[in-house]
Amino acid sequence: MKVLLINGSPHEHGCTYTALKEIADTLAAEGIESEIMHVGLEPIRGCTGCGTCIRQKTGRCVFGGDPVNAALEKMQECDGLIVGSPVHYASAGGAVTAMLDRMFYAGSASMRGKPGAAVCSARRAGTTATLDQLNKYFIISGMPLVPSQYWPMVHGSTPEQVAQDEEGLQIMRMLGRNMAWMLKSFALAAEQGILPPEREAKRKWTNFIR
Ligand SMILES: Cc1cc2nc3c(=O)[nH]c(=O)nc-3n(C[C@H](O)[C@H](O)[C@H](O)COP(=O)(O)O)c2cc1C
């Protein structure tokens, strides 16, 4: 079992990484492999809405040259996904938003049924708005949300400050243990033939305009 952790911060080893590393260490203690993928520094273009991924059903974004398709390929072999973002103006960072728009639009079908969670890091405020934004990618994609004992956030401007956020790090460890519990439970369920439900054959698509 393996979990992909996306670090959408421009700082490879900053505050968001410190939170993700706590989760990765917890997963390792639970016997679950993980990989932290840093995506927050290089330019990531937003979704152009061209619809090629929908029409061609490739599970990939037509635009290459940035980490979107690499992450989708990693998700083929990963059983869970955790997205970490710093809070920028009370929202997820721009790189994370651009990345997830394209990643989920092109590849959500391959991630359905896999547990997901978002975590964020802020100096002070905007955390719950950021988590609300990020959790929506999982919910619309049929990915069960992994809980913790509080909303998954850490506070600090530096990794050293985050290290002092004992409650924040405890929340990360609990999230890691819950992810491990869900992955192991889902694996046992799959052995018994209990799989995520199929979607209805004909998808309703109403936009309220006649
Ligand atoms: C452009 C920008 C906007 C930010 N906006 C907020 C904000 O709205 N609320 C907040 O508490 N911190 C804000 N911060 C601070 C970061 O969220 C905070 O320091 C975070 O822990 C940094 O994580 P990192 O080291 O992983 O990048 C902002 C930082 C930047 C660079």
Side-chain angles (χ1 to χ4, degrees):
M1 285 176 212
K2 187 170 176 185
V3 176
L4 180 66
L5 296 95
I6 293 177
N7 175 11
S9 163
H11 306 115
E12 186 171 6
H13 295 112
C15 302
T16 307
Y17 169 85
T18 306
L20 292 174
K21 181 74 169 57
E22 196 76 4
I23 299 172
D25 289 348
T26 306
L27 288 169
E30 295 280 343
I32 291 174
E33 201 186 335
S34 67
E35 175 182 345
I36 299 179
M37 182 184 188
H38 180 227
V39 304
L41 198 51
E42 53 197 297
I44 302 178
R45 68 182 304 152
C47 180
T48 63
C50 69
T52 308
C53 57
I54 305 291
R55 280 194 304 279
Q56 297 184 347
K57 294 187 173 48
T58 54
R60 296 172 60 82
C61 179
V62 72
F63 294 108
D66 61 26
V68 171
N69 286 325
L72 282 169
E73 276 160 30
K74 288 179 193 295
M75 278 310 295
Q76 297 284 343
E77 62 170 49
C78 283
D79 308 286
L81 174 65
I82 294 176
V83 175
S85 177
V87 173
H88 284 178
Y89 290 96
S91 305
V96 184
T97 302
M99 167 118 185
L100 296 188
D101 281 358
R102 287 170 50 219
M103 190 177 163
F104 278 79
Y105 210 61
S108 66
S110 65
M111 297 190 283
R112 210 164 71 82
K114 297 181 179 181
V119 305
C120 68
S121 174
R123 183 189 73 80
R124 191 167 182 85
T127 44
T128 54
T130 299
L131 292 174
D132 184 40
Q133 175 192 342
L134 293 174
N135 283 337
K136 284 168 179 152
Y137 290 96
F138 303 115
I139 295 167
I140 196 174
S141 306
M143 297 176 72
L145 282 185
V146 182
S148 186
Q149 62 194 43
Y150 193 86
W151 297 286
M153 61 182 74
V154 293
H155 287 96
S157 297
T158 63
E160 292 74 25
Q161 289 177 357
V162 171
Q164 293 175 51
D165 180 4
E166 291 182 22
E167 182 176 354
L169 294 179
Q170 188 174 60
I171 293 161
M172 297 302 138
R173 291 193 295 276
M174 195 64 221
L175 192 150
R177 282 195 285 275
N178 278 330
M179 170 65 93
W181 164 60
M182 288 172 74
L183 289 179
K184 291 171 187 174
S185 302
F186 287 2
L188 278 176
E191 278 175 30
Q192 300 293 319
I194 303 169
L195 297 168
E198 292 294 328
R199 287 192 354 189
E200 291 182 20
K202 181 154 175 42
R203 179 168 179 178
K204 303 290 183 192
W205 193 260
T206 49
N207 61 4
F208 308 109
I209 298 171
R210 286 180 184 275

